Amino acid sequence: MFAIVAVGVGSVAAPVHAASLDRARPLLIACFRSAHAPSCNQALVLTEAMQSRAADRELYPCQTLLLGLQAEVVMVQLAEQRGQGAFETLRDSERLCAGL
């Protein structure tokens, strides 16, 4: 299933595939490693689409991890580096949400 989500102000809408974190993973890593604002913003959009899908499918453990992943991004945006914990949340989300 594909959805169109606007990514950032003034940018072109990009298709979001809610089936996995494959598309969001590079953005999340760039966000966690360097607090790259555009990567963080796009990662939030993509993970929001996934956590909404998880909620719709009543996959609450997956949804909870995705909400945690979004919180990790917000903490980076607030200049609160999360270190290895952010990468662990990403890994756990990938494992638990596989096939979403």
Side-chain angles (χ1 to χ4, degrees):
M1 171 184 242
F2 287 88
I4 300 295
V5 177
V7 179
V9 176
S11 66
V12 176
V16 176
H17 188 269
S20 71
L21 280 166
D22 290 346
R23 180 165 160 77
R25 188 175 208 288
L27 296 168
L28 288 161
I29 290 172
C31 175
F32 296 157
R33 285 191 177 150
S34 65
H36 183 248
S39 295
C40 293
N41 292 338
Q42 289 179 331
L44 277 178
V45 169
L46 293 172
T47 54
E48 174 63 23
M50 285 191 68
Q51 81 80 19
S52 178
R53 181 174 168 98
D56 290 345
R57 296 178 71 187
E58 298 181 4
L59 301 172
Y60 301 122
C62 172
Q63 180 191 17
T64 300
L65 272 172
L66 292 169
L67 287 167
L69 194 56
Q70 289 176 296
E72 296 285 4
V73 172
V74 170
M75 293 303 290
V76 169
Q77 290 175 318
L78 295 173
E80 297 291 331
Q81 291 297 342
R82 302 294 289 169
Q84 190 60 32
F87 292 99
E88 290 171 9
T89 303
L90 173 57
R91 185 188 66 240
D92 292 344
S93 298
E94 288 175 319
R95 181 180 40 79
L96 190 61
C97 298
L100 174 66

